[in-house]
């Protein structure tokens, strides 16, 4: 299986995108590009392998592998850029929280994505619009 994450808008307050996998679709939030610095930057465009993974903090989530200079990049629930240290946050729709750009209904979107994937590995192509 192959998913595509297309980044559509970026600012110091976060990077919004759309994740598409066959007939599944959701919006995403990531940090802005900061030269791939751990904990503050989104990951570089490219193709990455994703696998079902047990995280000490988030329990069962998807982890991305093959990111040069980075590790522990996950797909997990969250709404705004301060909820991620480089990870991808799925959401149902784009909105604002506390005046900040956000993805909303993240837990619901993440659950839908994980149910759709059913613990199967997949590749993720990250690109800019």
């Amino acid at each position: 299986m192959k998913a595509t994450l297309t980044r559509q808008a970026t600012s110091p307050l976060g990077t919004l995108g759309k994740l598409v996998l066959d007939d599944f679709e959701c919006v995403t939030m990531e940090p802005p590009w900061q030269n791939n610095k751990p904990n503050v930057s989104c990951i570089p465009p490219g193709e990455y392998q994703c696998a079902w993974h047990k995280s000490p903090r988030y329990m069962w989530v998807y982890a991305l592998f093959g990111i040069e200079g980075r590790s522990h990049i996950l797909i997990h629930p969250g709404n705004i850029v301060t909820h991620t240290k480089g990870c991808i946050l799925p959401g149902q729709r784009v909105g604002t929280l506390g005046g900040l750009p956000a993805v909303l209904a993240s837990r619901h979107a993440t659950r839908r994505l994980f149910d759709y994937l059913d613990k199967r590995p997949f590749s993720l192509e990250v690109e800019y619009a």
Side-chain angles (χ1 to χ4, degrees), residues 6-71:
T6 304
R7 294 175 176 151
Q8 300 173 331
T10 190
S11 80
L13 301 176
T15 301
L16 294 167
K18 182 192 284 189
L19 187 138
V20 176
L21 174 69
D22 297 326
D23 60 349
F24 178 89
E25 191 174 294
C26 68
V27 295
T28 60
M29 170 64 78
E30 301 173 86
W33 177 249
Q34 299 290 324
N35 296 314
N36 201 31
K37 289 183 195 171
N39 301 318
V40 297
S41 180
C42 59
I43 60 174
E47 188 167 341
Y48 304 103
Q49 297 308 305
C50 302
W52 195 236
H53 170 80
K54 188 169 185 183
S55 157
R57 181 171 182 182
Y58 299 102
M59 296 306 294
W60 287 100
V61 295
Y62 276 89
L64 281 69
F65 298 95
I67 305 162
E68 189 173 332
R70 302 287 291 278
S71 63

Side-chain angles (χ1 to χ4, degrees), residues 18-129:
K18 182 192 284 189
L19 187 138
V20 176
L21 174 69
D22 297 326
D23 60 349
F24 178 89
E25 191 174 294
C26 68
V27 295
T28 60
M29 170 64 78
E30 301 173 86
W33 177 249
Q34 299 290 324
N35 296 314
N36 201 31
K37 289 183 195 171
N39 301 318
V40 297
S41 180
C42 59
I43 60 174
E47 188 167 341
Y48 304 103
Q49 297 308 305
C50 302
W52 195 236
H53 170 80
K54 188 169 185 183
S55 157
R57 181 171 182 182
Y58 299 102
M59 296 306 294
W60 287 100
V61 295
Y62 276 89
L64 281 69
F65 298 95
I67 305 162
E68 189 173 332
R70 302 287 291 278
S71 63
H72 299 92
I73 302 300
L74 308 174
I75 299 173
H76 66 78
N79 303 103
I80 57 176
V81 72
T82 58
H83 295 166
T84 177
K85 293 187 176 187
C87 298
I88 299 167
L89 310 176
Q92 287 290 103
R93 62 192 178 282
V94 173
T96 59
L97 282 176
L100 297 173
V103 293
L104 305 176
S106 182
R107 286 190 192 281
H108 179 70
T110 302
R111 190 174 329 112
R112 279 184 46 244
L113 174 62
F114 291 178
D115 286 349
Y116 185 86
L117 290 165
D118 194 28
K119 303 178 186 172
R120 295 173 292 184
F122 67 100
S123 64
L124 177 65
E125 179 75 28
V126 179
E127 62 186 21
Y128 284 94

